[in-house]
Amino acid sequence: MRDGDQRTDFPEEFLEKMRGLMGEEYAAFLDSCRGRRMQGLRLNPLKVIRDGQRRKIIAELGLTRIPWARDGYYYGEDIRPGRHPWHEAGVFYIQEPSAMAAAELLGAEPGEKVLDLCAAPGGKATQIGGQLKGRGLLVCNEIHPARAKILSQNVERMGIRNAVVTNEAPEVLAGRFPLFFDKVLVDAPCSGEGMFRKDADARSQWSPENVVRCAGRQAHVLDQGAAMVRPGGRMVYSTCTFSPEENEGSIRFFLERNPDFYVERVSGQKGLDRGRPEWTPGGQEELARTFRIWPHRTQGEGHYLAVLRRREDTSFGGAGNVREASRVKDKQVKTMWREFAEDTLTEEGMKAFGGEAKERLVLFGEQLYFLPEGMPDYGGLRVLRPGLHLGTVKKKRFEPSHSLALCLDGEQVRRSRDFGAESSRMAAYLRGETFETEESGSGWSLITVDGFSVGWAKQVGAVLKNHYPKGLRRG
């Protein structure tokens, strides 16, 4: 390691490689790698719907804008947003700033069918969910079971009602949903060089051989993702590495294998640098239309992004079997849901489910779900979350789920109790405590923090029985 390379835990071969690539920018690049990482969060547009709410959150947490993400903000080292009650209510998602760029470039629109192929832990998936605004279909997939569970929990916390979480290999989904999605995000597994300054494990596991292995995996995942993009549809590829083999190189070879795709020209992206076609042998000039984020040029970790478009005039043999999922036929189950909804939800709350909830119900054991519009047949797939979990159907009653609470607001329910984020009542609720109220009543009440839903309580007389999930309660 040469003089001036003060970070002794960076792999020497990595530093030599970057010195050759960066040239006169290498010193600034290395300084940024030794510097502090930036911290960010993204406000949830499904929750933060009024300007006054946004201004309050920005002021209280001391947030400043991230230039490439409309709902993204930096926060300071002295802020601990993960402990704030707003976090439990899904008001924001803590996310590395550069990681917000991929879903922003994907640009999902309400009503579209969208796939996040490598979705855990859920930052980009929940960002897409906010873009869809509850309309259309979002399929969030993760091949690793433990990470898929974390993904499902984050989808729940952010109040996304039109998401399905699957735990499948990319080729399994590609075989089921050919040419089905309007937009696909492939946040590919990579060598993680862009995360070196924040992740010691990424530094210790790096090797030139691993870079080559990652590029091979990326080729497979990209091809499977492409198989599910409809003609005229968009696919965004992203990594958190600097390696040209995994970035411009992966896109170069993808385009050679898939001539029906091209790199889409996207302009006006603040804070994003161009791709470097000269870093891959035979690199097409269109690779300059891809993007890089450099830690020495902006406030974020290292990322690479490419926006790919399938040509509209591409002809194929058909979109395959995408039958709709089966619905609940049990009249008793439908009656139990209707009775709960009529007692608990306002007319506006009923409209939140499209006015056709009874036609989009599906039962898994005792668990009742509300299917997203256009959800295909999921038979034979490993599905963790087939839609919005409404609650549990018991012998003589229906018990609403935490998921349902988090996708509602105070105007959509007949009974609600609002507590301030710093109040003793909110602290008691998050600890799972039951407490008395000044007014008597009966039925399910939505608990909100500064107007944001955080969970259920069931009122019996003058007592509010706490139904905040035991696994989430604070000590």
Side-chain angles (χ1 to χ4, degrees):
M1 187 168 295
R2 300 182 181 181
D3 293 341
D5 290 357
Q6 301 171 19
R7 190 93 186 223
T8 57
D9 56 350
F10 280 171
E12 187 167 354
E13 287 180 279
F14 165 74
L15 293 176
E16 290 294 335
K17 178 180 178 179
M18 294 308 298
R19 183 183 287 108
L21 291 173
M22 301 300 293
E24 62 183 21
E25 287 189 73
Y26 176 70
F29 168 77
L30 187 61
D31 283 343
S32 73
C33 291
R34 292 195 297 257
R36 68 181 182 89
R37 64 186 180 93
M38 299 304 297
Q39 302 177 104
L41 60 80
R42 179 174 42 76
L43 298 187
N44 182 0
L46 301 178
K47 295 273 188 171
V48 185
I49 59 177
R50 290 182 286 275
D51 288 340
Q53 293 175 321
R54 184 177 294 265
R55 287 193 296 269
K56 179 178 180 178
I57 296 166
I58 291 171
E60 184 161 328
L61 299 182
L63 306 179
T64 56
R65 284 272 188 184
I66 294 172
W68 51 80
R70 71 189 75 179
D71 293 310
Y73 295 86
Y74 298 106
Y75 66 89
E77 290 182 294
D78 57 335
I79 303 296
R80 297 291 180 268
R83 294 296 298 169
H84 200 289
W86 291 341
H87 180 268
E88 308 309 313
V91 173
F92 51 77
Y93 189 102
I94 298 172
Q95 188 176 16
E96 195 280 310
S98 296
M100 302 178 192
E104 202 74 29
L105 288 171
L106 189 69
E109 297 286 343
E112 290 184 327
K113 297 187 290 289
V114 184
L115 168 67
D116 186 349
L117 187 55
C118 313
K124 298 174 180 67
T126 56
Q127 189 174 358
I128 296 168
Q131 293 170 341
L132 291 176
K133 299 180 181 178
R135 294 171 48 204
L137 170 66
L138 171 60
V139 176
C140 316
N141 182 68
E142 174 55 45
I143 192 171
H144 300 289
R147 286 169 55 81
K149 290 180 181 179
I150 296 171
L151 166 64
S152 185
Q153 290 165 0
N154 282 321
V155 166
E156 174 182 85
R157 183 172 62 85
M158 300 301 280
I160 301 171
R161 70 168 65 93
N162 59 326
V164 173
V165 178
T166 58
N167 171 217
E168 286 292 355
E171 58 269 22
V172 173
L173 292 183
R176 289 293 295 274
F177 305 128
L179 312 178
F180 179 74
F181 293 98
D182 299 295
K183 288 169 182 171
V184 172
L185 177 62
V186 177
D187 183 39
C190 68
S191 59
E193 296 169 356
M195 298 292 109
F196 275 6
R197 70 176 175 182
K198 62 175 283 189
D199 189 344
D201 287 340
R203 298 195 294 271
S204 66
Q205 294 172 9
W206 185 91
S207 70
E209 294 76 19
N210 190 42
V211 168
V212 174
R213 284 194 295 270
C214 287
R217 287 195 294 266
Q218 290 154 3
H220 173 73
V221 175
L222 261 171
D223 286 346
Q224 302 309 313
M228 293 181 273
V229 180
R230 67 163 176 80
R234 174 184 289 173
M235 179 168 67
V236 168
Y237 172 77
S238 71
T239 72
C240 57
T241 193
F242 302 115
S243 167
E245 297 93 328
E246 302 175 70
N247 295 334
E248 290 89 354
S250 284
I251 296 303
R252 172 203 163 190
F253 290 117
F254 170 79
L255 294 173
E256 290 178 358
R257 295 190 306 272
N258 298 272
D260 52 318
F261 278 85
Y262 62 94
V263 179
E264 188 172 359
R265 189 184 302 277
V266 181
S267 60
Q269 300 302 307
K270 296 180 180 179
L272 307 187
D273 283 292
R274 71 175 186 88
R276 304 294 292 268
E278 66 272 21
W279 284 356
T280 184
Q284 307 97 316
E285 186 55 36
E286 67 178 313
L287 294 177
R289 299 203 292 263
T290 64
F291 299 100
R292 281 182 174 268
I293 300 178
W294 296 102
H296 66 291
R297 290 188 177 184
T298 192
Q299 295 180 314
E301 307 305 309
H303 269 66
Y304 175 81
L305 308 110
V307 182
L308 303 163
R309 177 76 72 173
R310 170 164 260 155
R311 301 181 195 279
E312 187 77 54
D313 58 357
T314 306
S315 60
F316 296 93
N321 177 18
V322 289
R323 299 171 308 191
E324 286 196 346
S326 58
R327 273 39 172 182
V328 167
K329 297 180 181 179
D330 190 322
K331 292 183 179 179
Q332 184 179 3
V333 171
K334 291 183 178 181
T335 298
M336 292 173 70
W337 161 252
R338 187 188 70 247
E339 290 175 348
F340 163 81
E342 290 176 350
D343 179 67
T344 308
L345 304 180
T346 62
E347 183 177 348
E348 182 177 341
M350 296 292 283
K351 288 180 180 178
F353 298 98
E356 53 183 27
K358 65 180 182 179
E359 303 302 328
R360 289 163 61 185
L361 300 177
V362 61
L363 196 64
F364 276 61
E366 294 182 334
Q367 307 308 315
L368 187 65
Y369 288 84
F370 180 63
L371 291 174
E373 54 187 288
M375 175 58 193
D377 178 22
Y378 46 74
L381 294 177
R382 289 193 294 268
V383 178
L384 277 71
R385 181 176 293 267
L388 174 63
H389 183 206
L390 296 175
T392 304
V393 176
K394 301 194 173 181
K395 288 183 178 180
K396 294 184 179 180
R397 60 189 173 88
F398 176 82
E399 185 170 300
S401 71
H402 189 57
S403 298
L404 179 58
L406 289 172
C407 79
L408 295 169
D409 63 39
E411 295 181 355
Q412 295 173 321
V413 295
R414 297 183 183 277
R415 295 170 293 274
S416 65
R417 299 281 179 148
D418 186 61
F419 305 126
E422 305 301 324
S423 69
S424 59
R425 282 291 177 92
M426 179 48 58
Y429 179 75
L430 294 178
R431 290 194 299 268
E433 296 178 14
T434 292
F435 42 85
E436 296 184 355
T437 66
E438 296 177 357
E439 301 176 2
S440 295
S442 64
W444 292 96
S445 289
L446 187 69
I447 304 300
T448 61
V449 51
D450 296 328
F452 303 114
S453 59
V454 71
W456 292 111
K458 189 170 187 180
Q459 186 157 0
V460 181
V463 175
L464 274 177
K465 294 186 176 181
N466 198 314
H467 281 260
Y468 194 64
K470 291 181 179 180
L472 301 177
R473 292 177 182 178
R474 298 182 176 182

